Amino acid sequence: RERERKRAASQTNLFLLSWVSICSQADYIRVFKLMAAKLISIQGADGMWRSSLEDPTEFPNPETTGSAMFTFGLAWGLHKGLLPAADYAPAVQKAWNGLVSIAVRSDGAVGWCQPVGGSPAPATASSTSDFCVGQVLLAATQMVSFL
């Protein structure tokens, strides 16, 4: 589950690197589109994803680290023309709305950050980390064009 989250972020970052060969790029695009479709199908009604993508009832609270990276990746796919706006723009907007209304607390801190580890774990409104804040900021870099 954590591996799937990291893989989604890695897939996106590979596109950003110029050394990806043209012949492998088609494979990465195909996998990226499959993962994007699956992600929007399991997105929570509040726009956020859960710590366990396979069983959202295991930890039913929202989770920021994955949600921020999925928002970044989906928005990046929209900007690059890899994902159709009609299908993905509403999910991206819903994800961003979830991040700014749930993850970003009234005091400006970012919460609901899953702790570092190799498997899903519970997060709380007060759980935060530097990397989680960075992921929300990374998602914001892609959301600027939606404003």
Side-chain angles (χ1 to χ4, degrees), residues 23 42-43 74 98:
C23 61
I42 60 173
Q43 184 179 26
L74 293 170

Side-chain angles (χ1 to χ4, degrees), residues 5 11 16 18 20 31 34-35 37 51 53 71 76 88 90 99 102-105 108-110 117-119 123 130 140:
R5 179 178 297 130
Q11 289 283 335
L16 300 174
S18 60
V20 175
V31 172
L34 288 171
M35 293 174 76
S51 294
L53 298 179
T71 304
W76 182 88
Y88 289 89
L99 286 171
I102 297 169
V104 179
R105 301 184 325 218
V110 176
S119 62
D130 293 343

Side-chain angles (χ1 to χ4, degrees), residues 70-146:
F70 298 150
T71 304
F72 168 80
L74 293 170
W76 182 88
L78 281 170
H79 295 144
K80 295 297 181 183
L82 299 174
L83 302 174
D87 297 329
Y88 289 89
V92 169
Q93 189 62 58
K94 183 167 81 169
W96 181 248
N97 291 345
L99 286 171
V100 298
S101 67
I102 297 169
V104 179
R105 301 184 325 218
S106 61
D107 64 358
V110 176
W112 297 105
C113 301
Q114 179 174 289
V116 176
S119 62
T124 66
S126 62
S127 59
T128 191
S129 66
D130 293 343
F131 74 88
C132 184
V133 173
Q135 290 170 320
V136 172
L137 294 172
L138 190 60
T141 66
Q142 290 298 310
M143 293 306 298
V144 168
S145 68
F146 283 96

Side-chain angles (χ1 to χ4, degrees), residues 33-92:
K33 288 179 177 181
L34 288 171
M35 293 174 76
K38 181 61 177 178
L39 284 172
I40 66 168
S41 76
I42 60 173
Q43 184 179 26
D46 60 4
M48 304 281 281
W49 285 267
R50 301 317 187 239
S51 294
S52 174
L53 298 179
E54 292 177 346
D55 182 7
T57 63
E58 183 178 3
F59 304 109
N61 53 286
E63 198 283 312
T64 302
T65 57
S67 295
M69 291 310 295
F70 298 150
T71 304
F72 168 80
L74 293 170
W76 182 88
L78 281 170
H79 295 144
K80 295 297 181 183
L82 299 174
L83 302 174
D87 297 329
Y88 289 89
V92 169

Side-chain angles (χ1 to χ4, degrees), residues 2-12 31 35:
E2 179 70 16
R3 183 175 34 159
E4 290 143 359
R5 179 178 297 130
K6 289 178 182 175
R7 185 175 176 196
S10 296
Q11 289 283 335
T12 301
V31 172
M35 293 174 76

